[in-house]
Amino acid sequence: MNRTTVFTTVAAILFLCLAGFSESHAGDLKITEMAVTTKIVKGNPIDSVRRISSASVKALYCFTRFSAPEDTDTSIKQLWYLNDEVVAEYELPVKGAHWRTYSRKVVEKGLSGEWRCDAVDSDGKVLKSVSFRMN
């Protein structure tokens, strides 16, 4: 074998190994809890909103808890939808085996309708979705 062939073979093997490593870690990211809540206390949601009045709160939070490999260092996006239109997008880190994070959406009066918050991985795949109605 000449040097070019050896180099190309080694580069291809390294690429395949690294691609498999990154995919396995992304695929191992699991959401164990997700909720839209009115408040986060000591790092946890206090409730799970299914229906709410826009006059009763100033903000809502989309809380997400993960289980992942110990050395996880990635991010997710939380997309907030009102009547199937994106109204907010937040990129949030996920680092470690047991991670929790949340985004905060200010609630303005009159934003009634069908709401949804999606947690999306770096490939754009929806990991989990939570829906609620705002009056």
Side-chain angles (χ1 to χ4, degrees), residues 15-28:
F15 174 78
L16 292 173
C17 289
L18 290 174
F21 176 80
S22 116
E23 286 175 12
S24 70
H25 276 55
D28 291 341

Side-chain angles (χ1 to χ4, degrees), residues 1-134:
M1 272 194 217
N2 65 31
R3 284 186 183 182
T4 305
T5 305
V6 171
F7 177 78
T8 304
T9 304
V10 170
I13 291 169
L14 283 173
F15 174 78
L16 292 173
C17 289
L18 290 174
F21 176 80
S22 116
E23 286 175 12
S24 70
H25 276 55
D28 291 341
L29 187 64
K30 305 278 188 258
I31 294 178
T32 58
E33 181 182 3
M34 186 167 166
V36 172
T37 182
T38 57
K39 194 172 184 181
I40 304 283
V41 175
K42 295 184 180 178
N44 293 299
I46 64 161
D47 55 13
S48 182
V49 171
R50 297 288 177 235
R51 184 179 207 108
I52 196 162
S53 167
S54 62
S56 67
V57 292
K58 293 183 180 182
L60 290 173
Y61 303 83
C62 184
F63 172 88
T64 310
R65 185 184 314 269
F66 297 90
S67 173
E70 191 67 41
D71 58 346
T72 297
D73 186 0
T74 188
S75 65
I76 58 128
K77 285 186 181 176
Q78 286 187 343
L79 304 172
W80 290 76
Y81 291 85
L82 171 57
N83 299 321
D84 290 324
E85 286 189 38
V86 177
V87 294
E89 181 176 319
Y90 302 91
E91 187 161 345
L92 305 166
V94 179
K95 298 181 179 193
H98 304 287
W99 193 262
R100 54 191 169 187
T101 190
Y102 61 88
S103 60
R104 179 178 184 265
K105 176 70 180 99
V106 174
V107 174
E108 300 168 17
K109 292 180 183 176
L111 289 181
S112 62
E114 298 298 323
W115 282 80
R116 180 176 90 239
C117 190
D118 290 351
V120 179
D121 70 11
S122 57
D123 294 327
K125 177 184 168 195
V126 176
L127 301 171
K128 192 159 183 153
S129 186
V130 176
S131 300
F132 64 99
R133 171 120 182 108
M134 190 174 313

